[in-house]
Amino acid sequence: MDGPVHAALFDAESLARLTALADTDPSFVVHDFADPAAAGPLAGAEVLLTGWGCPPLTAEALARMPRLRTVIHAAGSVKHHVTGACWERGLTVASAAAANAVPVAEYTVAAVLFSGKRVLHAARVYREKRTWMNALDVVGTGGNHRRTVGVVGASRIGRRVIELLRPHDLRVLLYDPYVGEAEAAELGAVSVPLDTLALTSDTVTIHAPELPETRHLFDRDRLALLPDGATLINTARGSLVDTEALTAELVAGRLNAVLDVTDPEVLPPDSPLYDLPNVLLTPHIAGSLGNELGRMTHAALDELERYARGLPYADPVRADRLTRSA
């Protein structure tokens, strides 16, 4: 992992736990597998504890680690560094994706509820007028009583979002080609086709993986299906939305958006999305940051403890599932 990532992930408590679980020098951080200084430690490594900034585990890199048996990722997706060579070697892999899903889901639910209540619109109008206003006029038909929320993707995050929405008086729709009606009902949602979800949702939140078939899942035609005044929330990947088409809808004022990811990321400085009153644009902050990083660290150390005790991982990564996951 990158040095700054190591410093952010590991405090004194987690470093002490790490050294109690493994024979390791917790101050030694590898960020280049070809670094001569890393040759000795890599040659003897049985476990790699990885994080953001880990370089790809290619066949060439793995050749430097003849004793390696497993990779534990103290973050979410492993697609950036776990390659086909890892599966060919028979390595096991675990990640802290479930821990990282928690803050993303929390961000999403906050965005859903604020969007339904038209909080950002009300705050903007209040800031402009700076006088008494009729709140009924400001909020209009907004509110969260029996609104319809469309969740795209029953991923870890999508499922957590549905779970967190349960206490609220909302109707939740779900589109996921791998989830049937019965399973969706168990989760607390109604399974519908994607176009139906788009047509009937007041708020749509995207939690599908970035795959070739999900690129521009919300293209010009599907965005046009969203009702006037609907809000699109994207905390997944920017490529799932056609940025040009969405920008046109937002500039016209027909839709609202909460975007934590964009395509490209970062948007060019002259993008109108920075200044539009119907857009909340944040710099990829929904995932684990600040004190939330500790949750991921200890999730990874939990897996390391299971490995040390000869137990199966609680959240293993499987090669056959990577084709339809983040």
Side-chain angles (χ1 to χ4, degrees):
M1 62 186 72
D2 288 334
V5 171
H6 174 267
L9 284 174
F10 289 94
D11 59 11
E13 177 189 356
S14 54
L15 286 174
R17 186 181 177 198
L18 172 60
T19 53
L21 288 170
D23 178 11
T24 187
D25 176 358
S27 66
F28 186 74
V29 183
V30 176
H31 49 83
D32 180 359
F33 293 132
D35 183 354
L42 289 176
E46 180 181 351
V47 179
L48 276 188
L49 182 59
T50 62
W52 293 319
C54 179
L57 285 161
T58 61
E60 181 182 5
L62 291 175
R64 297 184 171 93
M65 298 171 257
R67 297 187 65 239
L68 185 67
R69 296 179 61 188
T70 193
V71 177
I72 301 174
H73 190 47
S77 176
V78 301
K79 285 187 173 180
H80 298 97
H81 65 293
V82 172
T83 69
C86 296
W87 308 117
E88 292 172 8
R89 268 274 297 268
L91 301 182
T92 56
V93 180
S95 85
N100 191 49
V102 174
V104 182
E106 292 171 345
Y107 174 108
T108 301
V109 171
V112 167
L113 297 177
F114 262 43
S115 297
K117 190 72 170 179
R118 301 194 72 198
V119 168
L120 295 177
H121 168 74
R124 177 180 60 83
V125 174
Y126 199 17
R127 184 170 58 249
E128 291 173 353
K129 296 189 177 297
R130 306 185 183 214
T131 187
W132 182 90
M133 296 179 298
N134 187 328
L136 290 172
D137 293 336
V138 175
V139 175
T141 59
N144 287 306
H145 178 59
R146 298 183 180 177
R147 306 287 279 188
T148 299
V149 179
V151 177
V152 180
S155 59
R156 287 184 180 88
I157 298 169
R159 290 168 185 258
R160 180 72 171 177
V161 167
I162 295 171
E163 178 185 351
L164 293 177
L165 289 175
R166 283 178 187 167
H168 305 284
D169 195 1
L170 298 165
R171 177 174 178 249
V172 179
L173 305 180
L174 172 66
Y175 166 74
D176 189 306
Y178 299 99
V179 175
E181 293 182 6
E183 184 180 357
E186 290 178 2
L187 293 172
V190 177
S191 177
V192 295
L194 184 54
D195 285 351
T196 301
L197 182 147
L199 278 165
T200 56
S201 295
D202 300 297
T203 302
V204 172
T205 178
I206 302 174
H207 304 290
E210 184 178 42
L211 303 170
E213 56 268 33
T214 61
R215 176 171 174 78
H216 288 186
L217 190 66
F218 279 81
D219 57 12
R220 190 175 305 277
D221 292 340
R222 188 155 286 130
L223 289 168
L225 297 178
L226 296 175
D228 291 353
T231 298
L232 182 72
I233 302 170
N234 191 7
T235 58
R237 291 291 185 267
S239 67
L240 274 67
V241 179
D242 182 338
T243 301
E244 183 178 349
L246 178 61
T247 300
E249 292 277 19
L250 295 172
V251 168
R254 196 183 75 80
L255 299 177
N256 308 296
V258 178
L259 305 173
D260 190 51
V261 290
T262 55
D263 183 24
E265 192 173 79
V266 176
L267 291 171
D270 60 352
S271 170
L273 299 189
Y274 287 111
D275 300 310
L276 287 175
N278 52 334
V279 178
L280 174 61
L281 191 64
T282 54
H284 208 147
I285 63 167
S288 298
L289 291 172
N291 63 15
E292 298 161 342
L293 293 170
R295 183 191 286 117
M296 289 199 308
T297 303
H298 283 286
L301 293 178
D302 287 346
E303 296 288 44
L304 180 59
E305 183 172 353
R306 290 186 185 94
Y307 177 82
R309 295 172 61 189
L311 300 174
Y313 286 136
D315 197 9
V317 178
R318 305 190 190 283
D320 58 344
R321 296 181 184 176
L322 282 179
T323 58
R324 53 186 179 94
S325 65

